[in-house]
Amino acid sequence: TFQTNVLTELRKWKLSFIEHHKLQMRQEKEKHAAHVRQLNNQMENLKELLHTYEISIGRKDEVITNLTQALEMKKERIELMRKFTLWRIQQVKAKQEEYANRIADRQFQTALKKKVWTAWRSLSEERWKEKVAKACQLRAEDVCVQLTNDYEAKIAELTATLEQTKAEILRLHSEREQYEDTMKKAFMRGVCALNLEAMTMFQGK
C-alpha cells in the first residue's frame, strides 16, 4: 500500500541519515585523532628542544663556572705574588731602603716602557696587517677584473671565429650545390649526346 511504501522509504531515509551521521562522526574522530597525534608530536619535539636548551644552558653554566674559578685562581695568584713582592721589598728595605726604592722605581719604569712598547708594536702590527689585507684585496680585485677582461676578449674572439666558420660552411655548401648542378648538367649533356648518337645509328641502319 501507499502508506507501507511511505513508511519503508522513511525507514530507508532514516537508516541512510544514521549511516551518514555515523560516517561523519567517524571522520571527525579520525580528524581529531590525527590532530591529537600532531599535537603530541609537536609536544615531543618541544620537549626535545627544551632538553637540548637545558643541556646547552648547563654547558654554558659549566663554562662560566670554570672561567670564574680560573679567574679566582688568577686573582689569588696575583695576590700571592703581590704579597711575596711586598715581603721581599720589606726584607730588602731593612738594609738598603733607598737602594731598593731606586731599583723598584727603575723596574717599574722598565715594565711601563715594555708595556708601552708592546702596545705600540701590537698597534703597528695590526695596522700593517690591515694595510697588507687591503693591498691583497685590491690586488685580487685587479686580478679578477683582468681575468674578466681576458675571458670577455677570448669569448669575443671565439665568437668571431665561430661566425667565420659558419660563413665558410655556407660558402662550401654553396660551392657544393654549384658543383653538383654542374655535374648534373654535364651528365645530362652526356646522356643527350649518347641518345643522339644512338638515334643516328638507328636511322643509318
Side-chain angles (χ1 to χ4, degrees):
T1 63
F2 177 74
Q3 185 178 2
T4 304
N5 291 333
V6 170
L7 292 174
T8 303
E9 289 296 327
L10 288 174
R11 194 177 296 110
K12 288 181 180 179
W13 180 78
K14 182 179 180 181
L15 291 173
S16 175
F17 179 75
I18 292 171
E19 290 296 327
H20 181 67
H21 181 67
K22 287 182 179 179
L23 178 62
Q24 287 182 344
M25 290 295 293
R26 190 181 304 113
Q27 291 177 352
E28 290 297 328
K29 286 182 180 180
E30 290 177 356
K31 289 181 180 179
H32 179 68
H35 185 62
V36 170
R37 286 194 299 270
Q38 184 179 2
L39 290 176
N40 288 329
N41 291 331
Q42 291 179 358
M43 188 179 296
E44 291 297 328
N45 292 331
L46 289 175
K47 286 181 180 179
E48 292 179 0
L49 183 61
L50 179 60
H51 182 63
T52 303
Y53 283 160
E54 289 177 351
I55 293 174
S56 178
I57 291 172
R59 290 178 179 174
K60 289 181 179 178
D61 292 339
E62 184 179 355
V63 171
I64 291 171
T65 302
N66 293 332
L67 291 175
T68 304
Q69 291 178 356
L71 184 61
E72 291 296 330
M73 292 177 63
K74 190 73 174 177
K75 287 181 178 179
E76 291 177 358
R77 185 177 178 184
I78 292 173
E79 185 64 24
L80 289 174
M81 291 179 65
R82 189 180 67 83
K83 290 180 179 180
F84 179 72
T85 304
L86 291 175
W87 177 79
R88 288 196 63 182
I89 289 173
Q90 290 176 358
Q91 291 294 322
V92 175
K93 190 176 180 180
K95 295 182 180 179
Q96 299 178 346
E97 183 175 357
E98 184 180 356
Y99 179 77
N101 289 331
R102 193 164 57 248
I103 293 298
D105 185 65
R106 188 181 301 171
Q107 289 179 351
F108 175 76
Q109 292 295 331
T110 303
L112 183 61
K113 290 178 180 178
K114 187 181 293 184
K115 287 183 180 180
V116 173
W117 166 255
T118 304
W120 177 83
R121 184 176 181 182
S122 177
L123 181 62
S124 178
E125 289 179 353
E126 185 177 354
R127 291 178 178 175
W128 178 78
K129 289 179 180 179
E130 290 179 356
K131 290 182 180 179
V132 172
K134 188 174 182 180
C136 291
Q137 183 180 359
L138 293 175
R139 177 59 180 167
E141 291 177 355
D142 293 338
V143 171
C144 290
V145 171
Q146 184 64 35
L147 288 175
T148 303
N149 294 333
D150 292 343
Y151 280 123
E152 289 179 354
K154 189 66 177 179
I155 290 171
E157 182 181 355
L158 292 174
T159 303
T161 304
L162 180 61
E163 293 298 329
Q164 292 179 359
T165 304
K166 288 181 179 179
E168 183 67 20
I169 290 172
L170 291 175
R171 188 183 64 78
L172 291 175
H173 277 299
S174 178
E175 291 181 356
R176 179 181 176 182
E177 290 176 357
Q178 293 178 0
Y179 176 74
E180 288 179 354
D181 188 47
T182 303
M183 291 295 293
K184 286 179 182 179
K185 290 180 179 178
F187 179 74
M188 292 300 295
R189 285 196 298 270
V191 171
C192 290
L194 289 174
N195 289 335
L196 290 173
E197 186 176 354
M199 289 178 64
T200 303
M201 291 177 63
F202 282 123
Q203 288 176 0
K205 289 182 180 181

